Amino acid sequence: RKAATEEQKAEHDKLKRFLEAAKKRARAKESAAAESAKRLKRAKTAEAALKERAAEELQAALEEESDEDDEDDEADEDWSGTPARRAAAERSRRDHCGRYKALPGHLRVLIWAQLSRRVPPSAINANISDVIGALAPEEAVPLPGERSINLMRSELTVASEAIAAFRVALSKRIISFGWDESSKFGLGLLSSSTQIETQDGQIVDVVMRGAALTAGGTAEAIAWSVDTKVFSHARRLLKEWRAAHEQRFGAGSWAAAGGPAPGSIGMNRLTENTLLMSDTCNAARKCKRLIAAAAMEALKAKVGEAVWDAMSEKERAERGKVYIGECHAHTLETSSSTRWRTRRLRTSRTHKAVGSI
């Protein structure tokens, strides 16, 4: 009995110790929770105070900015902002309000020129910056990133074709027009080259369109592509350029600035004693005859059918004439072909005058 009592007493002491430990842990938890609640309350109070302070500072800054803008508007209507903000805006492509500014036109042309010379887009900024640093070190010119310059390569295609159309339309006459058709991955591609005489007598080679998809590989399809994909395309570019120019600078500004009329470029320009040049295969020869005939028809439509019918053959020949040439780089160099070509040169048939049809 005595042993059982001692055992019960030991068990009671053990439970008492467990209870005290549990109470101690509970008090510690309560204390930690109370401390956490106090910290949370202090944090919320500090956050509210910080927000209130930030709101007051922002309001004060906005009021100060508004006052500065009002003062600057009175002093200079073209600019709003402090000198420090103005200097910062000049060093970046964002204005004083943080809006993204368009790239200046003259700087865009410089980038096009670099791209047209096959300069890597990653080197263009450095090239332009070096020139500006050498010639105008006091200027701070912001430049676009490499990704933007890569995207400008698509602009370069349209811009170069528009400038080429502009030059051809202003030219005194078209001396020669050459083209060649090839295929890549099953697609027909047409490349062309134009030689013009400028108003001051200079001879200039112009690429009106580097490459264009054709409607097929037949002579009729190539002739249609020359009319549609080269001359009609150039005329459309001039129309859109004129419309954009007059929208910005007013009606009549295009002609006042020396811009050519879109109608000054077309198939009829190939009748200015122009030489048509392509390769020597049968399809190419037929294509040249079709284009020559289309050019004379375009000239007839421009002059007027009644006036054209009243003209003599001599007057028609003086008004317009087309010559057909053959590119002998496509001719196989054999003794028989050499003799055949010599005979053609002797009979003056290499450059065959089409004239009036």
Side-chain angles (χ1 to χ4, degrees):
R1 183 179 298 178
K2 185 178 180 180
T5 303
E6 291 178 356
E7 185 177 352
Q8 289 177 356
K9 184 179 180 181
E11 184 68 23
H12 181 271
D13 293 340
K14 181 178 180 181
L15 292 175
K16 188 177 180 180
R17 288 194 301 272
F18 285 162
L19 180 60
E20 291 177 354
K23 288 181 178 180
K24 185 177 181 180
R25 287 195 299 269
R27 287 193 297 270
K29 292 289 185 181
E30 290 176 358
S31 177
E35 186 65 26
S36 296
K38 292 179 181 179
R39 286 198 298 267
L40 180 59
K41 185 177 180 179
R42 289 196 298 269
K44 289 182 177 181
T45 303
E47 182 181 7
L50 183 61
K51 287 182 178 180
E52 184 178 357
R53 181 180 176 184
E56 292 176 355
E57 292 179 353
L58 179 60
Q59 183 65 27
L62 292 175
E63 292 176 357
E64 181 181 358
E65 181 179 354
S66 178
D67 295 340
E68 291 175 354
D69 289 344
D70 294 339
E71 294 174 0
D72 290 335
D73 287 340
E74 295 176 359
D76 183 6
E77 296 181 356
D78 297 331
W79 180 256
S80 61
T82 61
R85 288 166 55 210
R86 180 172 182 174
E90 290 178 350
R91 290 193 299 270
S92 68
R93 290 193 60 197
R94 295 186 180 275
D95 59 15
H96 65 284
C97 295
R99 292 186 294 263
Y100 187 78
K101 296 186 295 185
L103 190 67
H106 63 278
L107 186 57
R108 188 178 295 272
V109 173
L110 287 179
I111 296 175
W112 287 348
Q114 294 276 298
L115 290 172
S116 66
R117 296 183 178 94
R118 299 183 179 181
V119 177
S122 59
I124 290 178
N125 275 352
N127 291 347
I128 297 178
S129 298
D130 288 344
V131 174
I132 294 175
L135 301 180
E138 71 282 356
E139 294 293 332
V141 180
L143 297 172
E146 183 178 346
R147 181 176 178 275
S148 298
I149 294 177
N150 275 317
L151 295 176
M152 289 183 191
R153 289 188 293 186
S154 59
E155 299 177 2
L156 176 62
T157 300
V158 180
S160 60
E161 291 176 356
I163 294 172
F166 188 96
R167 300 185 71 181
V168 173
L170 283 180
S171 65
K172 184 177 181 180
R173 74 183 186 99
I174 296 179
I175 300 175
S176 67
F177 178 77
W179 70 92
D180 194 13
E181 189 270 342
S182 183
S183 60
K184 186 70 172 179
F185 302 119
L187 298 175
L189 296 175
L190 176 70
S191 60
S192 63
S193 179
T194 309
Q195 189 176 71
I196 62 174
E197 180 183 357
T198 62
Q199 294 295 335
D200 55 0
Q202 296 183 8
I203 308 301
V204 181
D205 293 325
V206 178
V207 178
M208 294 177 64
R209 202 167 192 187
L213 292 174
T214 63
T218 63
E220 291 79 3
I222 300 302
W224 178 87
S225 298
V226 168
D227 183 11
T228 306
K229 298 297 185 71
V230 179
F231 288 94
S232 295
H233 176 71
R235 191 162 52 250
R236 179 177 64 85
L237 289 176
L238 286 181
K239 288 181 180 179
E240 294 178 356
W241 192 352
R242 182 182 64 180
H245 189 279
E246 293 187 348
Q247 181 180 6
R248 181 175 181 181
F249 299 104
S253 59
W254 174 261
S264 60
I265 185 169
M267 291 288 287
N268 61 292
R269 295 295 306 271
L270 296 180
T271 63
E272 301 166 337
N273 290 325
T274 304
L275 173 65
L276 301 181
M277 182 64 69
S278 185
D279 60 32
T280 57
C281 67
N282 292 333
R285 290 175 178 174
K286 181 180 179 181
C287 181
K288 283 180 282 190
R289 293 195 299 269
L290 293 174
I291 291 178
M296 295 304 297
E297 286 296 325
L299 177 62
K300 180 179 177 180
K302 187 175 182 62
V303 173
E305 187 172 352
V307 177
W308 183 265
D309 293 339
M311 297 171 65
S312 64
E313 290 296 329
K314 181 179 179 180
E315 290 174 337
R316 294 178 182 178
E318 291 176 353
R319 186 60 184 269
K321 189 178 294 185
V322 186
Y323 292 90
I324 291 179
E326 293 179 352
C327 176
H328 291 293
H330 290 78
T331 304
L332 183 63
E333 286 297 333
T334 61
S335 57
S336 58
S337 64
T338 303
R339 288 194 300 269
W340 174 83
R341 195 160 61 248
T342 302
R343 287 197 301 270
R344 286 183 60 85
L345 288 172
R346 287 177 179 175
T347 56
S348 298
R349 293 179 62 193
T350 300
H351 293 165
K352 179 182 178 182
V354 175
S356 304
I357 298 177

